[in-house]
Amino acid sequence: MSPGRLLLGAAGASVTAYGAWLLWSRREPADVLDAAVWAGGAVLVHDVLLAAVLLLAGLVLARLVPAVARAPVVVGAVVLGSLSLVAVPVLGSWGRDTDPTNETLLDRDYVAGWWVLAALVAAGVLVGVAVRLLRARHARP
């Protein structure tokens, strides 16, 4: 393992340990348990659901998408899939009814925001495909 990776891993472990100490020292044990359940659930959703869906999508895309566009499409799918998964609670407006007097609770049109994000990711994919096409065209003799 390279020294850069070791340094990056040590920095990540240090920040994680500091965050865990802050959580443990400033919150009630029930809150710490909730955070642990949430973090474990996030890992399970990522490793079981997102990884499986992306694996299947990758198999389908490998057959349907031309080779020059595969990398940008895969990057776009990973970015949009990950961000969509994180945004599920706000897209579903979960928790909006918990405090009807709080007008600032989920007060935006998050679905419209997700569509803007999807359009930006699609634009990035198109730019990536265009760059790869131009490079391939210039590389030919």
Side-chain angles (χ1 to χ4, degrees), residues 37-56:
V37 168
W38 180 85
V43 169
L44 283 177
V45 167
H46 176 272
D47 289 353
V48 174
L49 181 67
L50 183 61
V53 168
L54 288 179
L55 183 63
L56 289 174

Side-chain angles (χ1 to χ4, degrees), residues 47-83:
D47 289 353
V48 174
L49 181 67
L50 183 61
V53 168
L54 288 179
L55 183 63
L56 289 174
L59 290 173
V60 171
L61 289 176
R63 294 185 180 267
L64 298 177
V65 176
V68 72
R70 283 184 193 146
V73 168
V74 167
V75 170
V78 168
V79 168
L80 191 58
S82 300
L83 293 176

